[in-house]
Amino acid sequence: MTARKGRRAAAEQGGGAAPRRVVFIGAAGEMCRVAIERFAKADGDGELVLTDIRPEILEPLAKRLPAGRATIRRLDLFDQKDLRAAIDGAALVVLGAGPYIRTSSPVIEACLEAKVPYLDFDDDVESTEHALSLHEKAKAAGIPIYVGCGASPGMSNVLVADAAAELDTVENIEVGWLVGDERPDVGRAVLHHLMHISAGPCLTWENGGPATHESYVETGIVQMGGIGEVLLYETAHPEPVTLPRRYPEAKRIRCIGGLAPAPFNGIARGLGLAVHEGKLTADEAVDFILDILKNRYFTNAKALRYALGGMLGQVRRKERGAGTLVEFLLKSAVRRTYRWEGGLLARVTGTRNGMPAVAVRRTPISGPETYAVRSMGALTGTACAAFMVLAIDENGTRAGAFAPEDWADPKAFYNALERVGTPRSEIVEAVL
C-alpha cells in the first residue's frame, strides 16, 4: 500500500465523513509534546486530540500547532468510560503517559475493545512483554499494537536491524544509549523508570537463551558518535527481550546504557539499590533526585547517604577516578551543568562471506545545537513522531502486536525522520 493510499484509508476510517483523528494520551509530557509537534510537520491533515489529566498546561502546545488542527480534552486514563469516549474512531492512539508498567494495560485493552490502532514508547520490560502477549487478540480485533516506539527501545531496534542486514549470520548484538545532563527538566515518570532499571533483575539473552542478570552491574565500553569512548552499564530494557524473536540464533543480546556526566550513574545505582532493598521508597528516591537536579542536596539525609555511596562505589570499582567525582560535586555546588551529550548505538557481530565481521550503526552527533539529539525528550519524541508517520502511512496493512524490529523498515524509518524535520546528517552513520 502506498503512503497516499494509507493516509486515505486512515482518513476514511469511521465512515469517511469525519476527519482522521490521532489521539495523544499524556500529551503534556516532555517527550509526547515533542512527538506531537514533529508529527504535525509531516502530517498536514487530520485532527490532533491532545488529552491529559492536566489539560490546562496543553494550551501553549496547541497554540504552536497549525491553526485548527488541535483540540484539548481532559482525560484520566484509568477512567475506562471516559477513555473509550476519547479514543472511539481514532486512526491512531499514542500513549505518552508513564510509567508504562501502570499505564499501558488499560489503554491497550480499551484500544482492543474499540478496535483502534495503538502506539507507545514503552521502555519497561514487563509491560512490553504483556503487550506482545496480546498478539492474537490484536489480530482478532484487526488492529496493530506498536510498542517501544521511542529512542531506546525504538530507534535502537531499527539500528540493529539495519546493521544486521549487512551480515550473513548474527552472533552478538549490543545496544547502547547515553543520556546527558538535563538539569533541572526531568519528569517523575522518567525517574521512576530510572529507579526501576538501576537495580534488581535484568532480563537479557546469553549463551543463546534467556538469562537474568543484576541490572547496572555489568559494563561495556562503546564509541558513541560525536562523543568518543563511553563506559555504559547493562540495563533492564526491552531490546534483549524482543530482539531474540527476530534473531533467535544470536548467542548474546544485551542493552547497555548510562548517564552523563558519569557520577549520575553512581547516584542512580546507589538510590536504585536502596529502593530495591526496601531502604527507600521509589517516591522518596525520585523526590531526592528532583531536588538534586535543582542543586538541593540536603533535603533527605538518608537518600544523600545512598547517593554518595553509589558514587563512591564507582571509584572503588575503578569505573571513575576520585577526581571526576570531586569535580562533579564542586561544579554542582556552584550550580554548573554540563553540555548535553548522548545518543544511540547498535553493534552487531557475526559473519560475512564466511569471515568474522562487525556492523555498527549510531547517531552521528549530539548537543544543544542539534534538532533531534539535543535531549532525551527530543530524541525520544522525534523517533516516536517518525514511527507515527509510518503507522499512519501503513494504516490497515497489519494486525497484531509488534516491536519496532518486527515492522519498521530502516530505510523507511530514516525517511520518516526526515519528514518530521530531522536533518539527514543527524540520523545515522555506519562505522566500518
Side-chain angles (χ1 to χ4, degrees), residues 249-369:
E249 75 281 11
K251 295 178 181 177
R252 185 189 194 194
I253 302 174
R254 70 170 183 166
C255 179
I256 55 175
L259 311 173
F264 277 135
N265 293 299
I267 293 173
R269 176 63 177 167
L271 293 173
L273 270 176
V275 171
H276 183 66
E277 294 169 359
K279 298 173 182 176
L280 284 176
T281 68
D283 281 330
E284 284 178 316
V286 168
D287 288 340
F288 177 74
I289 296 173
L290 287 171
D291 283 334
I292 65 173
L293 290 175
K294 297 174 182 176
N295 296 302
R296 298 197 296 259
Y297 284 83
F298 302 102
T299 57
N300 186 325
K302 185 169 61 171
L304 177 60
R305 184 170 71 251
Y306 294 128
L308 289 172
M311 289 189 283
L312 290 172
Q314 291 178 288
V315 176
R316 286 195 302 270
R317 295 187 297 272
K318 302 187 185 304
E319 295 167 1
R320 287 292 181 269
T324 301
L325 174 58
V326 171
E327 178 188 8
F328 172 79
L329 293 173
L330 289 175
K331 283 187 174 182
S332 297
V334 296
R335 299 179 181 273
R336 291 275 303 278
T337 58
Y338 293 71
R339 180 182 184 276
W340 197 92
E341 56 183 21
L344 302 171
L345 175 143
R347 184 176 186 271
V348 183
T349 63
T351 62
R352 185 189 302 116
N353 298 324
M355 300 294 292
V358 180
V360 176
R361 296 292 186 275
R362 66 190 184 189
T363 48
I365 56 175
S366 69
E369 70 284 356

Side-chain angles (χ1 to χ4, degrees), residues 212-229:
T212 302
H213 291 176
E214 169 71 14
S215 196
Y216 244 76
V217 171
E218 293 195 11
T219 60
I221 295 174
V222 299
Q223 291 287 334
M224 195 66 71
I227 299 169
E229 189 174 278

Side-chain angles (χ1 to χ4, degrees), residues 10-81:
E12 291 172 354
Q13 183 169 327
R20 174 174 46 75
R21 296 168 57 245
V22 178
V23 178
F24 297 88
I25 299 175
E30 177 192 4
M31 299 173 191
C32 200
R33 291 199 308 269
V34 174
I36 292 165
E37 288 192 79
R38 298 190 172 177
F39 173 71
K41 291 179 182 289
D43 186 79
D45 54 11
E47 180 186 1
L48 307 178
V49 182
L50 315 183
T51 78
D52 200 278
I53 201 166
R54 307 159 295 170
E56 64 279 359
I57 63 178
L58 289 170
E59 293 290 348
L61 171 60
K63 290 178 180 177
R64 294 196 298 272
L65 297 172
R69 290 289 309 281
T71 59
I72 296 174
R73 174 176 179 151
R74 185 188 185 280
L75 174 66
D76 177 353
L77 66 86
F78 297 105
D79 181 334
Q80 284 294 303
K81 183 177 180 180

Side-chain angles (χ1 to χ4, degrees), residues 8 10 32 55 91 93-94 128 160 173 203 272 274 289 328:
R8 186 184 301 125
C32 200
V93 172
V94 180
T128 296
V160 168
I173 298 172
L203 295 181
I289 296 173
F328 172 79

Side-chain angles (χ1 to χ4, degrees), residues 59-295:
E59 293 290 348
L61 171 60
K63 290 178 180 177
R64 294 196 298 272
L65 297 172
R69 290 289 309 281
T71 59
I72 296 174
R73 174 176 179 151
R74 185 188 185 280
L75 174 66
D76 177 353
L77 66 86
F78 297 105
D79 181 334
Q80 284 294 303
K81 183 177 180 180
D82 198 20
L83 177 59
R84 275 297 305 270
I87 69 172
D88 274 349
L92 183 66
V93 172
V94 180
L95 176 60
Y100 284 100
I101 51 176
R102 293 184 60 242
T103 61
S104 70
S105 182
V107 178
I108 291 175
E109 290 296 335
C111 287
L112 287 170
E113 292 175 9
K115 297 185 178 180
V116 295
Y118 167 93
L119 183 146
D120 67 30
F121 43 88
D122 188 351
D123 52 5
D124 288 317
V125 170
E126 298 87 345
S127 45
T128 296
E129 290 183 311
H130 173 70
L132 293 175
S133 74
L134 300 174
H135 181 71
E136 293 302 322
K137 284 188 176 182
K139 284 179 66 177
I143 64 164
I145 295 173
Y146 297 121
V147 295
C149 297
S152 173
M155 184 172 175
S156 59
N157 305 60
V158 177
L159 296 178
V160 168
D162 191 12
E166 277 192 10
L167 306 177
D168 299 325
T169 66
V170 170
E171 295 180 2
N172 298 297
I173 298 172
E174 192 158 70
V175 173
W177 56 266
L178 179 69
V179 171
D181 189 345
E182 305 210 355
R183 287 177 281 183
D185 300 320
V186 181
R188 292 189 68 88
V190 171
L191 296 177
H192 272 284
H193 172 68
L194 180 61
M195 292 299 93
H196 189 62
I197 68 171
S198 58
C202 172
L203 295 181
T204 189
W205 187 262
E206 188 175 47
N207 298 321
T212 302
H213 291 176
E214 169 71 14
S215 196
Y216 244 76
V217 171
E218 293 195 11
T219 60
I221 295 174
V222 299
Q223 291 287 334
M224 195 66 71
I227 299 169
E229 189 174 278
V230 181
L231 176 72
L232 301 177
Y233 299 81
E234 185 175 35
T235 53
H237 254 222
E239 291 96 327
V241 175
T242 69
L243 286 167
R245 302 180 318 143
R246 176 157 180 182
Y247 305 103
E249 75 281 11
K251 295 178 181 177
R252 185 189 194 194
I253 302 174
R254 70 170 183 166
C255 179
I256 55 175
L259 311 173
F264 277 135
N265 293 299
I267 293 173
R269 176 63 177 167
L271 293 173
L273 270 176
V275 171
H276 183 66
E277 294 169 359
K279 298 173 182 176
L280 284 176
T281 68
D283 281 330
E284 284 178 316
V286 168
D287 288 340
F288 177 74
I289 296 173
L290 287 171
D291 283 334
I292 65 173
L293 290 175
K294 297 174 182 176
N295 296 302

